[in-house]
Amino acid sequence: MSTATTPRTGSRETPARACTRETWPAVVVAVALVPASAYGLLARRPYRGIDAATATSARAQDVCSLLVAVLLLVLARHGSARVHVVRLGLLAYVAYSYAIYLLGLPVNRAFLLYVVLVAVSGGALLDGVLRLRPRAWPRAGRRLECATGGFLVGVAAVFALLWLFALLPFALGGDRPHPQGPGGVAYPVFVLDLCVVLPCVAIVGCLLLEGRSVGGPLALLAAVKVITLFTVLWVGVVAGLLRGDDVSLGLDAGPSLAMIGVCGWLVARWWRALPVDGPGRRSHLWPEE
């Protein structure tokens, strides 16, 4: 009997072939960010029904989103595995941030642009994660895996407790939680974090603690998203203080500032720990039979 093995489907994929699938979503998102941000920066009253500090933060996010658009266009030309993961982290930032715009702001004339941004970035993010090939990614040392996994699980637990601390008193008959969305609806950060983001962060942490190869690229993705999101948050805080707005820091202010530094260190460590030959992902969502 022959002992030769049949190569796995997709083993001959090239970076150029693998990157074509994500080039157009990145370009669409980058192009849509420009008019969406320009509307927020140039329109007379783009963010009605919110306080001055929140409106200043939204405009600061518009400026940062233009920088993200430039990064997406630059990265769209590169198909390497690590660049792919960084691009997914930027798309995660876009999907999360503009989902907040959809759920937490009174409707404005850029609403349909926000729909496009969330739909395309969210779809490209999901597609890019599901196409990762775990066996293509090297294992990092157990110390880095356990440290990052424990950190991510801890972050998910801390932020869940912070939001529950704000929500449980109301559930038990106390005052309404602060902040709230327009008209008293649930604050979108509570919704997105408790239902989507924090469970995903905890799962990535558990994958690392279990020693799964796919945990490495997902950790890099999560760290890029955290850095982008919390940097934008603090740019808004600084802009509000400079304008003299009545800035009120939330429960997450301290942890978010610390996480920028920690996640910056994690990005550097995981980038060095994940040298990958080839695209690191399939060219199609469903493997060929």
Side-chain angles (χ1 to χ4, degrees):
M1 187 187 326
S2 173
T3 59
T5 57
T6 302
R8 293 194 304 269
T9 299
S11 60
R12 296 183 180 179
E13 290 173 335
T14 64
R17 179 186 174 192
C19 78
T20 54
R21 187 186 184 96
E22 54 260 9
T23 297
W24 74 263
V27 172
V28 169
V29 170
V31 171
L33 281 172
V34 175
S37 299
Y39 175 77
L41 293 170
L42 302 177
R44 183 178 179 184
R45 292 185 60 197
Y47 305 120
R48 297 172 292 103
I50 58 177
D51 58 72
T54 304
T56 299
S57 295
R59 287 192 170 92
Q61 177 172 311
D62 291 328
V63 173
C64 295
S65 293
L66 291 174
L67 299 177
V68 170
V70 173
L71 285 174
L72 285 172
L73 289 176
V74 172
L75 297 181
R77 303 177 59 185
H78 300 276
S80 72
R82 290 180 294 185
V83 169
H84 171 68
V85 173
V86 171
R87 180 168 50 239
L88 293 181
L90 295 176
L91 292 173
Y93 156 77
V94 173
Y96 180 89
S97 299
Y98 285 92
I100 291 177
Y101 275 34
L102 286 177
L103 300 173
L105 292 177
V107 65
N108 61 28
R109 297 185 187 278
F111 178 82
L112 290 178
L113 284 172
Y114 303 156
V115 171
V116 170
L117 286 168
V118 173
V120 177
S121 61
L125 171 63
L126 184 61
D127 176 76
V129 169
L130 292 177
R131 288 189 296 110
L132 290 174
R133 297 171 56 202
R135 286 182 291 178
W137 295 85
R139 289 280 305 280
R142 282 303 290 159
R143 175 181 292 184
L144 179 59
E145 289 179 342
C146 290
T148 307
F151 170 73
L152 293 177
V153 171
V155 165
V158 167
F159 276 84
L161 289 174
L162 287 175
W163 300 156
L164 291 175
F165 179 79
L167 294 168
L168 280 177
F170 177 64
L172 298 176
D175 295 334
R176 299 184 68 85
H178 179 78
Q180 300 177 37
V185 301
Y187 187 44
V189 172
F190 294 156
V191 177
L192 294 174
D193 280 6
L194 291 174
C195 294
V196 181
V197 176
L198 297 181
C200 289
V201 169
I203 289 171
V204 174
C206 290
L207 290 173
L208 288 167
L209 293 174
E210 293 175 358
R212 303 294 184 91
S213 297
V214 76
L218 293 180
L220 178 59
L221 187 162
V224 170
K225 187 262 186 186
V226 167
I227 291 173
T228 310
L229 179 67
F230 286 138
T231 298
V232 171
L233 184 152
W234 278 98
V235 168
V237 170
V238 172
L241 292 173
L242 292 176
R243 284 176 52 89
D245 296 334
D246 184 14
V247 177
S248 177
L249 297 178
L251 295 172
D252 60 336
S256 67
L257 187 59
M259 285 178 62
I260 294 175
V262 174
C263 287
W265 178 81
L266 288 176
V267 166
R269 288 297 305 272
W270 279 104
W271 182 270
R272 294 195 300 268
L274 296 174
V276 179
D277 294 327
R281 59 203 185 274
R282 300 185 301 271
S283 60
H284 299 285
L285 183 58
W286 308 115
E288 296 91 350
E289 296 181 357

